[in-house]
Amino acid sequence: MANLEILLSEDMIRNRVREMGSEISRDYNGEEVLVIGILKGAFVFLADLIRCLDLPVKVDFMDVSSYGLSTESSGEVRIMKDLEQPIEGKNVLIVEDIIDSGTTLKFIEGILQRRRPKSLKLCTFLDKPSRRKVPVTPHYNGFTIPDHFIVGYGLDYAEQYRHLPMVCVLKD
Ligand code: IMP
Ligand code: MG
């Protein structure tokens, strides 16, 4: 794997995810939270994060996709898989792998806000703020990273590398 360079080791990830779990547990203070994972990239982070939550937790998933063929987000998003349950009156925590342009999370946040949850927060494993096109600020952010293309820990390039236990920069 000569084209991969480690950016975040397994140890760094484990420690940070534990910290995030403690912070989230403190903030929700024993209240139930519905954790919504954005497929597919968030599934590894979500699996580790929820095991660090000292709260009543439920889990659901949503899958969205951008229109268009280009790798750059076209700004249009549609729902490929919706939630299995209503979220009205619930504490909802959206869990995403990475915020890049912000288009995806802004869209999801808008849709879910209209369903009248009790609270709605965003939690991302990685944030690339230098790439932002629409303003989105996560309530919880694992790591702020520079503008590199990242794979591993759920993140893919052409569906490869999701299984890597660390986060790597994909070279050219
Ligand atoms: P956004 O709508 O531009 O914020 O894009 C967010 C989505 O793009 C993420 O959920 C990822 O699926 C994908 N993405 C953005 N940057 C990367 C990256 O560096 N590696 C892998 N996927 C990425
Ligand atoms: Mg994604």
Side-chain angles (χ1 to χ4, degrees):
M1 297 198 287
N3 56 342
L4 299 179
E5 192 175 277
I6 296 180
L7 182 68
L8 304 170
S9 68
E10 288 187 68
D11 267 1
M12 290 167 74
I13 295 171
R14 195 179 308 113
N15 291 334
R16 183 68 188 121
V17 172
R18 277 207 197 113
E19 281 178 5
M20 294 175 85
S22 302
E23 191 185 347
I24 293 168
S25 300
R26 230 180 297 122
D27 290 353
Y28 286 91
N29 194 24
E31 286 196 35
E32 183 175 286
V33 57
L34 174 62
V35 176
I36 296 179
I38 309 304
L39 295 170
K40 299 175 195 168
F43 80 104
V44 176
F45 173 49
L46 181 145
D48 284 345
L49 182 69
I50 59 172
R51 283 177 285 176
C52 297
L53 294 180
D54 185 17
L55 297 167
V57 169
K58 289 181 179 170
V59 176
D60 205 341
F61 292 95
M62 212 169 171
D63 189 8
V64 298
S65 113
S66 301
Y67 280 105
L69 297 171
S70 89
T71 52
E72 293 286 316
S73 191
S74 61
E76 283 182 87
V77 186
R78 66 179 156 167
I79 298 179
M80 307 302 287
K81 182 211 172 296
D82 205 339
L83 301 175
E84 290 176 357
Q85 56 197 300
I87 60 168
E88 187 168 349
K90 295 181 182 167
N91 293 310
V92 170
L93 182 65
I94 302 172
V95 172
E96 176 63 302
D97 51 0
I98 187 167
I99 311 180
D100 189 49
S101 69
T103 313
T104 307
L105 265 189
K106 195 83 209 167
F107 172 80
I108 292 171
E109 194 182 24
I111 283 186
L112 296 187
Q113 197 67 66
R114 270 174 256 132
R115 299 182 189 177
R116 301 166 171 279
K118 179 180 178 187
S119 67
L120 183 61
K121 285 187 177 184
L122 308 178
C123 175
T124 188
F125 174 56
L126 302 175
D127 191 6
K128 273 194 231 176
S130 60
R131 299 257 308 166
R132 206 70 97 247
K133 286 183 193 148
V134 293
V136 180
T137 309
H139 297 89
Y140 306 101
N141 170 28
F143 298 92
T144 298
I145 57 165
D147 182 13
H148 296 309
F149 196 83
I150 299 302
V151 295
Y153 202 66
L155 290 108
D156 75 307
Y157 172 69
E159 295 301 325
Q160 290 190 85
Y161 308 117
R162 293 192 196 275
H163 66 295
L164 298 179
M166 73 298 256
V167 165
C168 297
V169 175
L170 184 66
K171 299 282 180 185
D172 52 61

